[in-house]
Amino acid sequence: MHLYVANDYQELSRRAAQLFIEAVSRKPDSAVVLATGDTPMGMYRVLTEHIRAGKLDTSQLLLFQLDGYLGVSLDDPRSLEGWLVRSVLKPWGIPSDRFVRLPEDATDTDLVCSQYDEAVRRIGGFDLAVLGLGPNGHLGFNEPPAAADAPTRVVSLTPESLKSNARYWGSQEQVPRRSITAGMDVLLQARHILLLVSGERKREILRKTLFGPVTEQVPSSFLQLHPNVTIFADRAALPDEAALSRSS
Ligand code: PGA
């Protein structure tokens, strides 16, 4: 794992965007799975500026939704697909035929989950996964315990995720109880994983992610076994151990 430490959130967003630009410039038809949540929004905004300035060509990019809340329609303000449409697809000019959804309003969830995994398999896996870090170590909504080979599926949110997601929607009561998430299997098979971690409240889970035992109880700990993970953390999120041993 490569750990880059930024002074603050702005720097983290700029450096992560730079890595994204380099990856997509090398392979313009990259298949990329993108998180919502607060942390990657700064990076997406930097990328929007580059795209609008004509400095990044997105005409061949294929994007995948990472996760969503089950039972939420697209026009519900809590739809994570809607969030991705507003923050990425529209500003980047990505048409719907280059976006693979995880439909939050699906009734046959087994079918849509297997179709998603099949779509990822057909294109040969993700080139890049842009992920945030849940306070319980979830990646997407792979809530603990999550096996490294867990498929794309429906998952009940843990109390920790209900609590941390409450800040998006005003209260815990507003947070849907179930989610649909890209599985650990397809995420860990991504050729390059970019993990963005910001703020003091992530310090303890970043410590477990980097230095704790590899365990289903901390899904992000499986990143220790992946050959190509880049973590961008700001100083506030940096555990003491990482400050001593960090690579940059
Ligand atoms: P955040 O969410 O980026 O809003 O902190 C991360 C997550 O819970 O996966």
Short mmCIF file of all heavy atoms in Angstrom, two decimals, residues 4 13 26 31 43 90 94 116 161 169 183 198 203:
data_model
loop_
_atom_site.label_atom_id
_atom_site.label_comp_id
_atom_site.label_asym_id
_atom_site.label_seq_id
_atom_site.Cartn_x
_atom_site.Cartn_y
_atom_site.Cartn_z
N TYR A 4 -0.09 8.36 0.95
CA TYR A 4 0.31 9.75 0.74
C TYR A 4 -0.41 10.61 1.75
O TYR A 4 -1.63 10.50 1.91
CB TYR A 4 -0.04 10.20 -0.68
CG TYR A 4 0.81 9.52 -1.71
CD1 TYR A 4 0.32 8.44 -2.44
CD2 TYR A 4 2.12 9.93 -1.94
CE1 TYR A 4 1.11 7.79 -3.37
CE2 TYR A 4 2.92 9.29 -2.87
CZ TYR A 4 2.40 8.22 -3.58
OH TYR A 4 3.19 7.58 -4.49
N SER A 13 -7.56 16.26 -2.09
CA SER A 13 -8.44 16.21 -3.27
C SER A 13 -7.65 16.47 -4.55
O SER A 13 -7.85 15.80 -5.57
CB SER A 13 -9.55 17.27 -3.13
OG SER A 13 -10.30 17.03 -1.96
N ARG A 26 -3.53 7.46 -19.28
CA ARG A 26 -2.86 6.24 -19.76
C ARG A 26 -3.84 5.29 -20.43
O ARG A 26 -3.51 4.61 -21.39
CB ARG A 26 -2.21 5.49 -18.58
CG ARG A 26 -0.79 5.92 -18.27
CD ARG A 26 -0.08 4.90 -17.39
NE ARG A 26 -0.81 4.60 -16.16
CZ ARG A 26 -0.72 5.31 -15.04
NH1 ARG A 26 0.09 6.35 -14.98
NH2 ARG A 26 -1.40 4.97 -13.97
N ALA A 31 -12.41 1.46 -16.90
CA ALA A 31 -13.65 1.15 -16.18
C ALA A 31 -13.41 1.54 -14.73
O ALA A 31 -12.50 1.01 -14.09
CB ALA A 31 -13.97 -0.33 -16.29
N MET A 43 -12.31 15.82 -4.75
CA MET A 43 -11.59 15.28 -5.91
C MET A 43 -12.46 15.38 -7.16
O MET A 43 -11.97 15.75 -8.24
CB MET A 43 -11.24 13.82 -5.62
CG MET A 43 -10.78 13.05 -6.82
SD MET A 43 -10.61 11.29 -6.36
CE MET A 43 -10.53 10.56 -7.98
N LYS A 90 -23.32 14.26 -14.69
CA LYS A 90 -23.70 15.49 -15.39
C LYS A 90 -22.50 16.39 -15.61
O LYS A 90 -22.20 16.75 -16.75
CB LYS A 90 -24.79 16.22 -14.61
CG LYS A 90 -26.17 15.68 -14.89
CD LYS A 90 -27.18 16.83 -15.04
CE LYS A 90 -28.52 16.27 -15.47
NZ LYS A 90 -29.48 16.24 -14.37
N ILE A 94 -21.04 12.37 -18.81
CA ILE A 94 -21.06 10.93 -19.07
C ILE A 94 -22.50 10.50 -19.39
O ILE A 94 -23.40 10.66 -18.56
CB ILE A 94 -20.59 10.13 -17.82
CG1 ILE A 94 -19.23 10.62 -17.32
CG2 ILE A 94 -20.59 8.62 -18.10
CD1 ILE A 94 -18.04 10.27 -18.17
N TYR A 116 -24.80 -7.05 -12.41
CA TYR A 116 -23.71 -6.10 -12.15
C TYR A 116 -22.37 -6.84 -12.15
O TYR A 116 -21.42 -6.44 -12.83
CB TYR A 116 -23.96 -5.42 -10.81
CG TYR A 116 -22.97 -4.34 -10.41
CD1 TYR A 116 -23.20 -3.00 -10.69
CD2 TYR A 116 -21.81 -4.67 -9.70
CE1 TYR A 116 -22.30 -2.02 -10.29
CE2 TYR A 116 -20.90 -3.69 -9.30
CZ TYR A 116 -21.16 -2.37 -9.60
OH TYR A 116 -20.26 -1.40 -9.20
N SER A 161 -22.97 2.52 10.68
CA SER A 161 -23.20 3.19 9.40
C SER A 161 -24.47 4.03 9.43
O SER A 161 -24.52 5.11 8.83
CB SER A 161 -23.31 2.15 8.27
OG SER A 161 -22.04 1.60 8.02
N TRP A 169 -28.41 13.07 5.84
CA TRP A 169 -29.87 13.21 5.64
C TRP A 169 -30.59 13.79 6.84
O TRP A 169 -31.81 13.78 6.91
CB TRP A 169 -30.48 11.84 5.28
CG TRP A 169 -29.62 11.07 4.33
CD1 TRP A 169 -29.03 9.87 4.56
CD2 TRP A 169 -29.23 11.46 3.00
NE1 TRP A 169 -28.29 9.50 3.47
CE2 TRP A 169 -28.40 10.45 2.50
CE3 TRP A 169 -29.50 12.57 2.20
CZ2 TRP A 169 -27.81 10.52 1.24
CZ3 TRP A 169 -28.93 12.64 0.94
CH2 TRP A 169 -28.10 11.63 0.47
N GLY A 183 -19.73 -5.97 -4.51
CA GLY A 183 -19.15 -6.90 -3.55
C GLY A 183 -17.66 -6.68 -3.33
O GLY A 183 -16.97 -6.04 -4.15
N SER A 198 -10.25 11.23 5.20
CA SER A 198 -10.07 12.58 5.70
C SER A 198 -10.69 12.75 7.09
O SER A 198 -11.79 12.26 7.35
CB SER A 198 -10.74 13.57 4.72
OG SER A 198 -10.76 14.86 5.26
N ARG A 203 -9.37 8.37 12.01
CA ARG A 203 -8.00 7.99 12.40
C ARG A 203 -7.92 6.55 12.91
O ARG A 203 -7.05 5.78 12.52
CB ARG A 203 -7.50 8.96 13.47
CG ARG A 203 -6.02 8.81 13.73
CD ARG A 203 -5.55 9.72 14.82
NE ARG A 203 -5.50 11.11 14.41
CZ ARG A 203 -5.38 12.12 15.27
NH1 ARG A 203 -5.31 11.88 16.56
NH2 ARG A 203 -5.33 13.35 14.83
#
